[in-house]
Amino acid sequence: MYIAIVNYNMGNIKSVENAFRKIGAEIKVTSDPEVINSSSAIVLPGVGAFKDAINNLKDLKLLDVIKENINKKLFLGICLGMQLLYEYSMEDGKSRGLGVLKGFVGKIPSVVKVPHMGWNQIKIINKNNKLFSDIDNGENFYFIHSYHIIPENRNVISSVTDYGIEIVSSIEKGNIYGFQFHPEKSSTIGLKILNNFWKLVKENS
Amino acid sequence: MITKRIIPCLDVNKGRVVKGVSFINLKDAGDPVELAAYYDKQGADEIVFLDITASHEKRKTIIELASKTAEKVFIPYTIGGGISEIEDIREILKKGADKVSINTAAVENPSLIEKSSKIFGSQCIVVAVDAKYRENDFWEVYIHGGRTPTGKNVTDWVAEVEQLGAGEILLTSMDRDGTKDGYDIELTSAVTSAVNIPVIASGGAGNLEHLRDVIKLANADAVLVASIFHYGEYTVRQAKEFLKSEGINIRI
């Protein structure tokens, strides 16, 4: 039993790895399709440009591997790792995403400061979300992003964040979880969320 | 709504914290990683490391710092100090740093901002700006650790770096740095009015009212704090509780 943390040469992979190590989770940081196929759960981290991320996944032949695995096991996408699940992004010209979820990724409008950077509160909409177990409504998490998701179906939204405009801060659909914020950089409270994910992995295995 | 950030800043030379840090309850108060972890526990929102190592070892020490910090500190941290190469930025971010701050190299080679923000994303490219008052509404940008004037007007320069892709400005008032007379409200206001990216105010913090003033009056998004924390005059928690009591949105 282990979580496969997908290594596709984008930023923050090391931080996600360190955070899961800190909570004592069994992990493998990998770009090997076999290791991903045999895992109990997948974490897709990611900071950087959307197009580069998709191209890296393509070069590593991981696009199909992720698509094939995503409905079979627990999946957590963090920041760009969540955005990649959508149909397309407006970043740097329109580029196609994995299309696992309906909707797109748009630029945060410049009526507010861009990037959205710093600690902001989440308003939990889906109280049954297991990753928010023991997490209070209004708790602060660390955000750092210039693009945000616009889901077609609002049922997937598990929390939102007020930044002058509404930011979808997390989603849940079946076994797929996604965070716009960075639990791996959100101190004790962030580690708690990752621990909730690890607990879920253990329960499901 | 987004909270205002309190950011302790550590100067690091050859892997050790410089400037007196007088905590007695730390095993090794000269260890930047241990200090950063201590500030994380106190509730710091981010950490900034300024590496001032001046030797051929610099690249190695700075990358080592990025790597060791990532293992023990679970809040965002920025590393700055003489960074001028894309490959160094790549390595520092890969080790787990969230942002790099670029100062002299940004002025000498503005395309570095453009290239690095395209590759790694604007959000991890901080441009550090050292500014000194000249006359009227003119603050001049300095480089090489405040030794070399550039002739650039700070408000023009920050607008330019925003256009080039910088995700944040770390603004230091050379007139106030080290004085404890408070942040430069006028300079900070001029910069927050000139750009639509977050601005960290730096230089001059002597008490907690100074933090409040630059946030409330100049709309700084974050404050950089060094000596009043390092010498134990205030804890991060005290600072945050004070700012919260003043009606500022703060993460406690």
Side-chain angles (χ1 to χ4, degrees):
Chain A
M1 179 184 56
Y2 61 87
I3 300 171
I5 298 177
V6 183
N7 182 3
Y8 61 119
N9 302 320
M10 297 301 285
N12 96 329
I13 290 165
K14 192 75 198 170
S15 310
V16 171
E17 175 190 347
N18 285 339
F20 274 109
R21 285 202 197 288
K22 172 85 178 174
I23 60 163
E26 300 284 338
I27 54 163
K28 288 186 182 175
V29 180
T30 183
S31 38
D32 179 349
E34 281 313 305
V35 177
I36 295 172
N37 284 333
S38 312
S39 68
S40 324
I42 299 173
V43 172
L44 188 61
V47 165
F50 192 95
K51 209 178 261 177
D52 292 346
I54 286 288
N55 287 338
N56 288 1
L57 287 174
K58 210 179 275 172
D59 292 346
L60 291 162
K61 301 195 172 25
L62 292 177
L63 278 179
D64 289 336
V65 176
I66 291 172
K67 278 193 201 166
E68 283 159 17
N69 276 276
I70 202 161
N71 289 314
K72 295 185 194 156
K73 53 187 76 163
L74 284 165
F75 180 95
L76 173 61
I78 299 174
C79 193
L80 182 60
M82 168 183 73
Q83 297 183 352
L84 292 171
L85 301 181
Y86 281 86
E87 291 168 289
Y88 63 94
S89 168
M90 303 301 287
E91 187 177 336
D92 197 16
K94 204 167 163 180
S95 21
R96 276 170 72 103
L98 286 161
V100 173
L101 297 172
K102 292 233 178 292
F104 70 101
V105 182
K107 176 127 189 167
I108 297 174
S110 54
V111 291
V112 291
K113 289 194 180 190
V114 184
H116 172 214
M117 185 186 284
W119 298 77
N120 207 339
Q121 303 88 57
I122 61 166
K123 183 178 156 204
I124 300 174
I125 290 173
N126 179 358
K127 301 241 166 18
N128 298 320
N129 184 307
K130 289 188 172 150
L131 302 195
F132 290 148
S133 159
D134 287 331
I135 304 288
D136 293 334
N137 204 15
E139 196 66 69
N140 280 289
F141 290 92
Y142 193 80
F143 290 80
I144 179 165
H145 62 122
S146 304
Y147 290 81
H148 67 140
I149 54 165
I150 319 286
E152 196 172 291
N153 183 352
R154 289 189 64 88
N155 291 343
V156 301
I157 299 173
S158 56
S159 75
V160 291
T161 289
D162 177 10
Y163 183 52
I165 62 154
E166 181 189 82
I167 302 280
V168 174
S169 37
S170 65
I171 53 150
E172 174 185 359
K173 190 187 179 216
N175 52 327
I176 301 172
Y177 294 88
F179 297 133
Q180 182 56 65
F181 54 83
H182 289 273
E184 79 280 9
K185 288 290 175 176
S186 295
S187 200
T188 323
I189 197 83
L191 294 177
K192 201 187 228 178
I193 280 199
L194 295 181
N195 198 37
N196 286 342
F197 183 73
W198 172 234
K199 274 198 234 163
L200 205 55
V201 174
K202 285 190 282 189
E203 279 168 26
N204 283 24
S205 312
Chain B
M1 278 304 288
I2 190 99
T3 57
K4 300 290 187 178
R5 288 169 282 152
I6 311 297
I7 309 177
C9 175
L10 301 171
D11 287 357
V12 180
N13 186 12
K14 294 176 186 154
R16 305 287 298 167
V17 176
V18 291
K19 286 186 187 168
V21 172
S22 55
F23 294 126
I24 42 164
N25 50 349
L26 282 185
K27 213 165 48 199
D28 179 1
D31 178 2
V33 179
E34 188 149 345
L35 253 178
Y38 175 75
Y39 282 132
D40 172 5
K41 269 204 200 94
Q42 279 195 359
D45 295 310
E46 287 181 24
I47 305 286
V48 167
F49 294 105
L50 183 61
D51 192 298
I52 58 168
T53 310
S55 77
H56 62 283
E57 294 276 276
K58 184 179 184 84
R59 188 173 185 276
K60 202 178 125 214
T61 60
I62 211 166
I63 289 166
E64 208 172 272
L65 175 64
S67 174
K68 283 185 175 162
T69 306
E71 288 168 17
K72 286 202 175 150
V73 176
F74 296 95
I75 54 173
Y77 62 95
T78 303
I79 295 191
I83 296 167
S84 60
E85 304 286 338
I86 292 278
E87 284 317 307
D88 291 349
I89 297 174
R90 186 190 307 278
E91 205 54 34
I92 290 166
L93 295 175
K94 202 172 150 190
K95 295 293 184 207
D98 300 274
K99 310 181 221 176
V100 292
S101 98
I102 309 171
N103 189 336
T104 302
V107 172
E108 290 179 338
N109 174 22
S111 72
L112 179 68
I113 306 170
E114 197 173 8
K115 280 187 198 147
S116 57
S117 62
K118 278 237 169 70
I119 299 174
F120 309 110
S122 286
Q123 78 286 337
C124 52
I125 305 301
V126 182
V127 172
V129 179
D130 296 341
K132 195 179 173 102
Y133 184 65
R134 283 283 169 247
E135 57 191 351
N136 298 327
D137 284 338
F138 177 40
W139 286 268
E140 186 172 8
V141 176
Y142 276 65
I143 53 173
H144 298 130
R147 292 189 304 278
T148 314
T150 63
K152 284 180 188 292
N153 186 330
V154 71
T155 49
D156 296 338
W157 175 236
V158 293
E160 188 181 339
V161 304
E162 179 183 22
Q163 280 305 311
L164 289 168
E168 189 170 44
I169 303 289
L170 168 51
L171 175 69
T172 301
S173 160
M174 292 171 59
D175 303 297
R176 296 299 177 91
D177 206 20
T179 65
K180 292 194 154 196
D181 287 341
Y183 296 92
D184 190 329
I185 305 286
E186 279 180 63
L187 167 66
T188 311
S189 302
V191 168
T192 56
S193 307
V195 293
N196 195 42
I197 52 179
V199 176
I200 307 169
S202 159
N207 59 46
L208 301 183
E209 284 79 8
H210 292 153
L211 276 58
R212 173 197 63 197
D213 292 348
V214 78
I215 290 171
K216 281 202 167 183
L217 304 176
N219 199 26
D221 299 279
V223 286
L224 202 74
V225 183
S227 59
I228 61 168
F229 288 160
H230 300 333
Y231 294 117
E233 289 167 45
Y234 303 97
T235 63
V236 175
R237 181 157 298 274
Q238 280 170 336
K240 294 188 111 181
E241 275 165 4
F242 171 75
L243 295 174
K244 192 162 183 118
S245 75
E246 293 285 312
I248 295 168
N249 198 11
I250 290 284
R251 173 185 74 110
I252 299 271

